């Protein structure tokens, strides 16, 4: 595991904490958001490398 320090600008602190109010912690909320974004980025990269025919599979990127 790699530790990462995230500096949150003062202007984003309250909105971010409000958005994370349903999460177990602010850290958990940020980690989940980063994982989601990494998954989307990887999917976009995969699609650009080798387009997949997902017709009829019910999947969409």
């Amino acid at each position: 595991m790699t530790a990462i320090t995230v500096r949150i600008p003062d202007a984003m602190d309250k909105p971010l904490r409000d958005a994370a109010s349903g999460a177990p912690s602010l850290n958990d909320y940020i980690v989940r958001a980063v994982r989601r974004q990494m998954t989307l980025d990887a999917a976009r990269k995969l699609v650009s490398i080798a387009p997949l025919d997902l017709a009829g599979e019910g999947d969409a990127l």
Side-chain angles (χ1 to χ4, degrees):
M1 181 185 298
T2 301
I4 297 173
T5 300
V6 178
R7 294 188 185 273
I8 300 170
D10 291 339
M12 289 180 58
D13 185 58
K14 181 166 177 14
L16 186 56
R17 289 184 186 278
D18 290 346
S21 65
S25 68
L26 180 59
N27 185 60
D28 182 66
Y29 180 82
I30 291 170
V31 168
R32 287 176 188 238
V34 169
R35 285 182 180 157
R36 268 192 307 272
Q37 189 60 51
M38 288 172 56
T39 300
L40 290 172
D41 290 349
R44 287 185 186 110
K45 187 171 187 175
L46 177 62
V47 167
S48 71
I49 293 171
L52 303 172
D53 179 14
L54 299 176
E57 297 298 322
D59 295 328
L61 296 175

